[in-house]
Amino acid sequence: TTAHRWAMLRNMVTSLIEHGRIVTTTPKAKEARKLADKCITLGKKNTLHARRRASNVVQTPAAVVKLFDILGPRYADRQGGYTRVLPLSKRRLGDGSKMSVLEFVDREGELRPARPPPGRLAALKREGYLEADVAEMLTDGTGERLN
C-alpha cells in the first residue's frame, strides 16, 4: 500500500541521514535517493518552514538537527546529486534481488570519491591558487583526478 511505501521510504531516509550509508535493494535505493536529495535541499535552505517540511519526512529530531547543521552546509555549493547508488555484485540470498549501497557523496569513508561540483576549478583559479595547487586539491591522494 501507499502508506507502507511512504513509511519505508521515511525510515530509509532517516537511516541514511543518521548513518551516511545504507544497503538495500536497487529499486528501493533509487526511490529513497529522490526523497533524500529533496531533504538535503531543504537542509540547505535552513528556514523554519524548511525545517518543518523536513521533519515530516525525517523521523528523529537528532536526524533533523544533523540534516540542517551538518549536511546542509556540507552541500551548500553543490547544485544536486547529493547521493549515489552503487550496485553490489552479490545478490540477496532469499529472493535474488539486486542489492545496492546508497550513500552521501563527499563524506568520510566513502567508497568512491565524488567529482567536484562544476565551477569549483574555475572558482579556485579565481581565488588565486596556482594550477599545481588546484591539481593537488582535486586528487584523491593516489594521484587519480576526481573530475
Side-chain angles (χ1 to χ4, degrees):
T1 63
T2 304
H4 178 266
R5 180 177 176 272
W6 177 241
M8 178 198 62
L9 289 175
R10 289 177 63 199
N11 283 329
M12 290 175 69
V13 170
T14 303
S15 295
L16 178 66
I17 291 171
E18 289 174 351
H19 302 291
R21 176 189 300 161
I22 58 173
V23 178
T24 184
T25 62
T26 302
K28 288 179 187 176
K30 289 180 179 181
E31 284 297 314
R33 173 179 54 184
K34 296 174 191 175
L35 192 57
D37 283 353
K38 289 179 184 177
C39 287
I40 295 293
T41 302
L42 290 173
K44 287 170 55 175
K45 291 180 183 175
N46 201 12
T47 61
L48 178 61
H49 181 61
R51 194 173 286 266
R52 287 180 176 164
R53 285 183 58 198
S55 63
N56 286 336
V57 176
V58 181
Q59 296 181 329
T60 62
V64 173
V65 169
K66 182 176 180 180
L67 177 66
F68 282 88
D69 293 346
I70 297 172
L71 297 177
R74 180 191 297 171
Y75 298 114
D77 62 339
R78 186 175 282 273
Q79 296 297 315
Y82 313 113
T83 56
R84 73 164 68 99
V85 176
L86 296 171
L88 296 175
S89 60
K90 295 193 82 162
R91 288 178 174 251
R92 187 160 55 187
L93 286 177
D95 58 357
S97 300
K98 292 183 180 181
M99 300 297 286
S100 293
V101 173
L102 176 63
E103 70 174 4
F104 288 118
V105 298
D106 292 338
R107 62 179 276 278
E108 300 281 331
E110 62 184 343
L111 297 178
R112 185 184 75 207
R115 286 189 218 120
R120 182 179 282 176
L121 180 63
L124 290 172
K125 287 181 182 177
R126 279 195 306 268
E127 291 175 10
Y129 290 101
L130 299 176
E131 186 71 32
D133 295 335
V134 172
E136 182 179 327
M137 284 184 219
L138 297 179
T139 59
D140 61 358
T142 61
E144 294 185 28
R145 290 187 59 89
L146 295 176
N147 56 356

